[in-house]
Amino acid sequence: MSIVAQDQAWCATTPKRSQGVDAHGSALKSVGSALDVLECFATDGELGVSDIARRLGVAKSTAHRLLQTLASRGFVEQDAHSGQYRLGIHIYELGELALARNQLRHAALPILRQVAAATGLTVNLSVPDGPDIVFVERIENSDGVRILGHFGRRLPAHTTSSGKAIAAWNTGADAARRRAGFPPRVSRTVRTEADWDRCLESVRKVGYAVSHSESFDGASSVAVPVIVHREAIASISVFGPTEAIEPKVDRIVPVLVAASRRIARAHTA
């Protein structure tokens, strides 16, 4: 089974953070530009000065200064042979600190491991962020198939079972997705607001969401929300080849529902 990857669509709806304006507008703009540089690496492992300049619409000299500033603080590093830049070790350090301090992830991790062991599938814990969902933890399946291994941790909510499961019980996430629209990703991606409405109605009715060839052709996922105080704050899902998921949905859902309830209790304890 071959899963067709759509790298160019991965961060299509990643929210561009608005830059504040005040008496120090010039300094804030520089900070915003540096952050824009870092976000360029969300879909590419290495980029050159020309690549950054083209993506940001700035002069090469400006891109070079931004990269050099980031490199001086360890946020990016330059390959001595190719001259291209990649994310630096300090980004990794800060990312690990953010994960280590995430209470929801900490509460969920042992439960996610149990779900992975019980199902033999890749298990994800995701949270909403604007119109997207972000996978804050991923336990890869035990057979060595790493479909998601080289992808980032953000996907448009309408392309995933996790996004649907969250939006069905999170009005903010639902509204953000509607404002951003429903750009197609692969063959069966939700494309209209009417389709989105039908998806969320189904999720509310049965208590879980499914995705078949909506984020990756040939791949499926099943998700249930993690509900705290009547709002979905996250979702737990399993992911794999469609032939491994589709026949087992009825068996997978009770496992996920039980895990979701345990995560909610652990998070609020």
Side-chain angles (χ1 to χ4, degrees):
M1 188 276 301
S2 173
I3 292 176
V4 179
Q6 303 289 324
D7 292 284
Q8 70 275 14
W10 174 72
C11 262
T13 61
T14 299
K16 189 127 179 157
R17 313 298 180 180
S18 60
Q19 296 177 8
V21 177
D22 63 8
H24 304 287
S26 178
L28 286 178
K29 184 177 179 181
S30 296
V31 172
S33 295
L35 294 174
D36 287 343
V37 170
L38 293 176
E39 289 191 345
C40 287
F41 291 96
T43 53
D44 292 274
E46 292 191 348
L47 293 167
V49 173
S50 297
D51 299 319
I52 297 294
R54 184 174 61 255
R55 294 188 184 196
L56 299 188
V58 299
K60 288 184 181 179
S61 58
T62 300
H64 184 259
R65 286 197 300 273
L66 288 167
L67 286 163
Q68 286 295 300
T69 300
L70 290 167
S72 71
R73 301 293 296 271
F75 289 101
V76 300
E77 58 187 26
Q78 187 176 25
D79 186 277
H81 300 290
S82 68
Q84 292 195 312
Y85 291 83
R86 55 180 171 257
L87 293 178
I89 195 68
H90 194 43
I91 287 286
Y92 172 79
E93 292 179 85
L94 293 177
E96 285 294 300
L97 284 173
L99 284 177
R101 295 168 182 171
N102 185 301
Q103 294 181 352
L104 175 64
R105 173 185 173 271
H106 181 72
L109 191 53
I111 302 168
L112 299 178
R113 289 177 177 143
Q114 291 171 3
V115 173
T119 64
L121 296 165
T122 292
V123 181
N124 289 302
L125 178 73
S126 59
V127 296
D129 185 34
D132 302 331
I133 58 101
V134 177
F135 300 108
V136 295
E137 186 55 67
R138 176 178 297 150
I139 309 296
E140 295 283 0
N141 64 336
S142 58
D143 64 6
V145 179
R146 297 176 63 85
I147 297 167
L148 292 171
H150 65 290
F151 283 92
R153 296 296 182 110
R154 177 185 294 271
L155 281 170
H158 70 294
T159 71
T160 69
S161 61
S162 295
K164 296 174 193 174
I166 291 172
W169 284 279
N170 185 310
T171 56
D174 179 23
R177 185 65 264 165
R178 293 176 190 273
R179 287 193 298 270
F182 304 92
R185 179 178 166 82
V186 290
S187 61
R188 296 177 64 182
T189 303
V190 169
R191 286 168 163 75
T192 68
E193 189 163 356
D195 289 339
W196 183 244
D197 286 335
R198 283 190 289 271
C199 284
L200 298 194
E201 182 180 356
S202 174
V203 173
R204 294 184 188 110
K205 181 178 179 180
V206 300
Y208 64 91
V210 296
S211 171
H212 298 307
S213 292
E214 295 181 46
S215 53
F216 301 91
D217 278 324
S220 294
S221 63
V222 184
V224 300
V226 177
I227 295 179
V228 174
H229 302 310
R230 299 184 180 182
E231 181 176 80
I233 63 167
S235 71
I236 178 173
S237 65
V238 294
F239 174 93
T242 295
E243 61 264 28
I245 296 285
E246 201 165 20
K248 302 177 182 177
V249 171
D250 289 343
R251 283 175 281 170
I252 290 170
V253 169
V255 175
L256 294 180
V257 169
S260 168
R261 290 171 178 168
R262 291 175 60 202
I263 291 170
R265 288 196 298 267
H267 180 61
T268 56

